[in-house]
């Protein structure tokens, strides 16, 4: 198979997802099926073809470096699951 | 007369002549929502009170002679577009209680015209899906047959227009998410050129592919909404500075001067339903009769479009959706006492299976050792797809094709078969990879009475040609006049 259950669980850790071990096999199978299909790309000769990240030619959209509208702290924090004063509150970062 | 059946153009005439008020029109639409929503389930939020207040303000403006093209017109918005003070969920548990502190650019534009927002529309979670079954909240039904999907991801946007629970709606299209549900629900849906409509306030799925566009009962109604939302926005760095043409003026240009390209390979693909092929071929014959010249074009890399797309879109999604971590907004799992655990618990609870699948795919494809084989390769194939279109548009002005290989499928048909669902995007997603505009316009019905759409695509910033050809086709046919029995 294109991706093993162990590899899938590793990728899940990278993606900050917790996969139920019981669902991991099925999920790995589904991802593998998609990756096998995606492998048809290998049939295309792309020698010397530049990659495209963006379909139109707008580049470097500069603007004046001026203070513009910004949210007051209470509005910016209104959706926060937890706050303390004007800060987002998170669980401890270093164990 | 039932006011909910009006087009924007008809409603505006009546409002202008003061034969109806926006309040009456809005009430009629809200009554329609109350009557049909239990069967259709297109809305995640109905903003009835705010809509009535906005309608009264619109009536006051009209009374003072201040009337813009969309003043007083009831419109509904896909729930991926931020609306100040109105919950915006993206069809996801992780944003179930998210109330944006600002309006998307397109909302600022609609409010400037005093359009009336009646609610927020259901969608596949974070716009990932082609059926609207991947909403965390409800399955929207196709108004033509409630056992079938409305398409997706803008399934709510298409179903609400088809069921006349709004006069027009906004959707978003990353791989076909406006055109495909428009086709399945028998309405008109326009995906603009990348950069034509600001993405400011559109919750990002795949930033190099996403584009907001209108869905309406007629081509003219889509043109009217497009006129309101198109234009440069300094808040979106990818917004195009090109002047916005007069789309309404372009509507009646006809197809006499247009060369319409037919990609033969699109009609030879295995999954194409014979009824869809027949309806689209008939539509091409109609366009020819109206004066268009039909030419053959080749899009040889189309076969690889689905594969390239399902690398690029999940890669961008895995990066974009990293922001949903339980810190600044949205759901947080309160059980974890350490940050990394909190991230994992929150995201695993908050995201549904399809979203998690795509995040995993994207993270895998971007991870050490795989980048060249997947993301780089897909981005090179994207260049080849763009070159195909550029070469084709040397020979033609528009490309005509099916929108989807089949009419709407029964609910549950693709459950647990993500690849089968992805393959149904084969005709639409290359437009997103190339950044070109496309439109779906009703062109027939299956023997089961399900709508079929014709897709027209054009070169960058050629929306006028799309609208002119779609309008000519619509005027010559009656498909848009048929309504679902509800």
């Amino acid at each position: 198979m294109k991706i093993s259950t162990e590899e899938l669980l590793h990728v899940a850790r990278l993606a900050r997802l917790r996969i139920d071990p019981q669902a991991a096999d099925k999920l790995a199978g589904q991802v593998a099926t998609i990756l096998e299909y995606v492998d048809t790309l290998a049939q295309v000769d792309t020698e010397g073809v530049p990659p495209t990240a963006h379909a139109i030619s707008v580049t470097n959209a500069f603007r004046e470096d001026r203070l513009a509208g910004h949210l007051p702290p209470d509005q910016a924090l209104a959706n926060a699951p937890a706050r303390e004063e004007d800060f987002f509150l998170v669980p401890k970062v270093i164990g | 007369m039932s006011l909910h059946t009006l087009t924007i153009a008809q409603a505006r005439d009546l409002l202008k002549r003061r034969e109806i008020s926006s309040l009456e029109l809005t009430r009629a639409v809200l009554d329609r929502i109350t009557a049909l929503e239990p069967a259709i389930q297109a809305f995640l939020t109905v903003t009835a009170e705010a809509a009535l207040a906005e309608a009264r303000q619109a009536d006051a403006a009209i009374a003072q002679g201040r009337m813009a093209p969309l003043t007083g017109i009831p419109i509904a918005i896909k729930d991926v577009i931020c609306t100040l003070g109105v919950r915006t969920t993206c069809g996801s548990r992780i944003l179930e209680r998210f109330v944006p502190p600002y309006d998307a650019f397109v909302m600022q534009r609609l409010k400037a015209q005093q359009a009336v927002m009646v609610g927020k529309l259901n969608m596949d979670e974070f716009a990932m899906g082609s059926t609207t079954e991947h909403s965390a909240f409800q399955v929207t039904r196709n108004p033509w047959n409630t056992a079938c999907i409305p398409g997706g991801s803008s399934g709510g946007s298409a179903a609400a227009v088809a069921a006349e629970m709004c006069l027009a709606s906004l959707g978003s299209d990353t791989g076909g998410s406006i055109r495909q549900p428009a086709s399945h629900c028998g309405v008109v849906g326009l995906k603009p050129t990348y950069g034509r409509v600001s993405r400011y306030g559109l919750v990002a799925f795949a930033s190099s592919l996403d584009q907001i566009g209108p869905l309406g009962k007629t081509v003219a109604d889509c043109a009217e909404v497009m006129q309101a939302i198109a234009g440069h926005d300094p808040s979106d760095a990818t917004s195009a500075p090109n002047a916005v043409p007069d789309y309404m003026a372009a509507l009646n240009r006809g197809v006499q001067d247009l060369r319409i390209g037919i990609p033969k390979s699109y009609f030879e693909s295995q999954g194409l339903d014979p009824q869809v092929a027949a309806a689209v071929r008939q539509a091409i014959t109609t366009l020819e009769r109206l004066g268009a010249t039909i030419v053959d074009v080749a899009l040889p890399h189309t076969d690889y479009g689905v594969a390239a797309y399902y690398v690029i879109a999940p890669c961008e999604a895995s990066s974009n959706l990293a922001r949903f971590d339980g810190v600044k907004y949205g759901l947080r799992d309160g059980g974890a006492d350490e940050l990394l655990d909190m991230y994992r618990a929150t995201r695993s609870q908050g995201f549904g299976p399809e979203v998690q699948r795509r995040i995993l795919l994207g993270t895998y494809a971007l991870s050490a050792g795989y980048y060249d084989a997947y993301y780089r390769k897909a981005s090179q194939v994207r260049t080849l797809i763009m070159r195909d279109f550029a070469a084709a548009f040397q020979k033609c002005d528009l490309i005509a094709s099916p929108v989807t290989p089949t009419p709407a499928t029964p609910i549950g048909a693709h459950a647990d078969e993500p690849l089968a669902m992805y393959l149904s995007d084969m005709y639409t997603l290359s437009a997103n990879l190339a950044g070109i505009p496309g439109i779906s316009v009703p062109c027939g019905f299956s023997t089961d009475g399900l709508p079929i759409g014709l897709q027209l695509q054009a070169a960058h910033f050629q929306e006028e040609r799309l609208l002119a050809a779609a309008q000519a086709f619509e005027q010559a046919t009656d498909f848009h006049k048929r309504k679902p029995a509800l």
Side-chain angles (χ1 to χ4, degrees):
Chain A
M1 204 160 73
K2 194 79 194 162
I3 178 168
S4 67
T5 304
E6 290 70 36
E7 277 179 290
L8 185 93
L9 291 170
H10 170 68
V11 172
R13 277 190 292 276
L14 295 176
R16 307 290 186 243
L17 291 171
R18 183 178 288 153
I19 304 297
D20 176 2
Q22 285 161 343
D25 284 345
K26 185 178 163 191
L27 195 51
Q30 288 173 336
V31 172
T33 306
I34 298 162
L35 289 172
E36 278 154 24
Y37 177 75
V38 161
D39 274 348
T40 56
L41 290 176
Q43 298 163 5
V44 186
D45 180 3
T46 52
E47 186 71 36
V49 177
T52 295
H54 191 78
I56 61 164
S57 54
V58 173
T59 48
N60 293 344
F62 293 116
R63 63 168 175 81
E64 290 296 311
D65 186 14
R66 269 202 313 262
L67 193 63
H70 58 275
L71 292 174
D74 273 342
Q75 280 181 39
L77 287 157
N79 283 288
R83 72 179 275 192
E84 194 171 284
E85 297 172 16
D86 280 352
F87 300 98
F88 295 101
L89 191 64
V90 296
K92 73 178 170 195
V93 177
I94 300 166
Chain B
M1 182 181 49
S2 316
L3 297 183
H4 63 260
T5 64
L6 297 173
T7 64
I8 292 178
Q10 291 166 339
R12 190 181 44 231
D13 273 354
L14 294 171
L15 286 168
K16 200 172 186 174
R17 296 206 304 266
R18 312 283 296 273
E19 289 181 29
I20 62 168
S21 66
S22 174
L23 191 60
E24 289 166 328
L25 178 60
T26 302
R27 279 206 176 113
V29 166
L30 291 171
D31 286 348
R32 180 79 172 170
I33 293 172
T34 305
L36 291 187
E37 189 50 12
I40 305 296
Q41 309 222 14
F43 285 83
L44 291 174
T45 304
V46 177
T47 49
E49 267 182 49
L52 294 171
E54 286 171 14
R56 286 191 184 92
Q57 286 165 11
D59 284 331
I62 294 167
Q64 292 164 16
R66 290 185 286 110
M67 189 175 179
L70 298 177
T71 302
I73 302 293
I75 286 177
I77 307 294
K78 186 177 183 180
D79 213 19
V80 70
I81 294 170
C82 285
T83 43
L84 172 68
V86 177
R87 182 178 89 122
T88 299
T89 68
C90 294
S92 182
R93 291 277 171 218
I94 211 159
L95 287 178
E96 189 169 2
R97 283 181 285 279
F98 174 64
V99 178
Y102 68 101
D103 266 326
F105 176 84
V106 293
M107 291 309 302
Q108 297 169 20
R109 283 291 188 89
L110 293 177
K111 283 185 179 173
Q113 292 209 8
Q114 293 192 273
V116 173
M117 183 178 84
V118 292
K120 301 295 297 285
L121 296 160
N122 197 25
M123 55 186 282
D124 287 298
E125 186 177 1
F126 285 104
M128 296 178 195
S130 317
T131 67
T132 313
E133 292 169 294
H134 300 287
S135 164
F137 303 110
Q138 64 204 33
V139 175
T140 298
R141 310 282 166 158
N142 190 312
W144 294 87
N145 179 341
T146 53
C148 290
I149 56 148
S153 68
S154 310
S157 301
V161 172
E164 305 193 295
M165 297 191 285
C166 55
L167 269 59
S169 63
L170 292 185
S172 66
D173 192 314
T174 304
S177 283
I178 288 174
R179 291 160 287 160
Q180 186 256 22
S183 171
H184 282 341
C185 291
V187 300
V188 183
L190 173 65
K191 175 232 175 270
T193 305
Y194 183 81
R196 181 71 292 180
V197 177
S198 169
R199 292 181 297 108
Y200 178 72
L202 171 69
V203 179
F205 158 16
S207 305
S208 83
L209 307 166
D210 297 340
Q211 192 62 198
I212 297 172
L215 296 95
K217 297 176 189 178
T218 64
V219 176
D221 283 5
C222 280
E224 198 71 88
V225 177
M226 186 61 195
Q227 197 78 57
I229 62 174
H232 183 247
D233 174 16
S235 300
D236 172 2
T238 62
S239 169
N242 312 36
V244 179
D246 184 341
Y247 295 121
M248 298 306 286
L251 275 179
N252 293 315
R253 282 185 198 159
V255 293
Q256 298 86 339
D257 301 328
L258 296 180
R259 297 163 300 167
I260 298 183
I262 312 299
K264 214 171 125 203
S265 60
Y266 278 36
F267 292 87
E268 288 164 352
S269 69
Q270 265 185 345
L272 180 61
D273 181 296
Q275 292 190 52
V276 173
V280 172
R281 284 188 188 286
Q282 185 61 45
I284 292 164
T285 306
T286 302
L287 288 166
E288 190 172 22
R289 182 169 54 76
L290 293 170
T293 308
I294 306 299
V295 298
D296 283 328
V297 293
L299 297 168
H301 294 95
T302 297
D303 283 352
Y304 300 99
V306 176
Y309 179 90
Y310 278 97
V311 174
I312 292 167
C315 284
E316 294 190 22
S318 73
S319 171
N320 271 326
L321 272 61
R323 76 191 62 180
F324 301 104
D325 58 5
V327 174
K328 296 181 293 298
Y329 34 62
L331 183 78
R332 172 185 293 190
D333 179 277
D337 54 9
E338 189 259 302
L339 188 67
L340 268 181
D341 280 344
M342 189 280 280
Y343 288 162
R344 290 198 192 108
T346 297
R347 290 162 61 79
S348 298
Q349 259 183 55
F351 292 137
E354 180 61 24
V355 172
Q356 294 199 34
R357 202 149 46 218
R358 294 204 199 188
I359 290 174
L360 288 168
L361 251 180
T363 306
Y364 176 80
L366 290 172
S367 63
Y370 294 110
Y371 180 87
D372 280 353
Y374 290 112
Y375 186 74
R376 187 178 159 80
K377 184 78 180 180
S379 302
Q380 289 176 305
V381 172
R382 184 176 187 181
T383 304
L384 295 174
I385 289 170
M386 290 182 71
R387 287 179 183 170
D388 282 355
F389 278 113
F393 287 126
Q394 294 292 314
K395 290 178 65 183
C396 69
D397 304 300
L398 296 172
I399 293 172
S401 75
V403 182
T404 68
T406 67
T409 47
I411 288 166
H414 289 327
D416 277 346
E417 283 179 49
L419 185 59
M421 180 177 77
Y422 298 173
L423 289 169
S424 74
D425 299 338
M426 57 192 286
Y427 295 123
T428 48
L429 48 71
S430 47
N432 300 76
L433 290 170
I436 61 171
I439 195 167
S440 173
V441 60
C443 76
F445 290 87
S446 71
T447 47
D448 297 333
L450 289 167
I452 296 169
L454 164 72
Q455 175 172 241
L456 297 169
Q457 299 180 93
H460 292 144
F461 301 106
Q462 297 299 326
E463 280 84 359
E464 291 163 277
R465 281 180 184 161
L466 286 183
L467 291 165
Q471 169 81 353
F473 180 77
E474 186 184 86
Q475 294 295 303
T477 56
D478 284 332
F479 305 113
H480 66 290
K481 290 182 186 156
R482 215 190 287 187
K483 305 269 172 98
L486 286 165

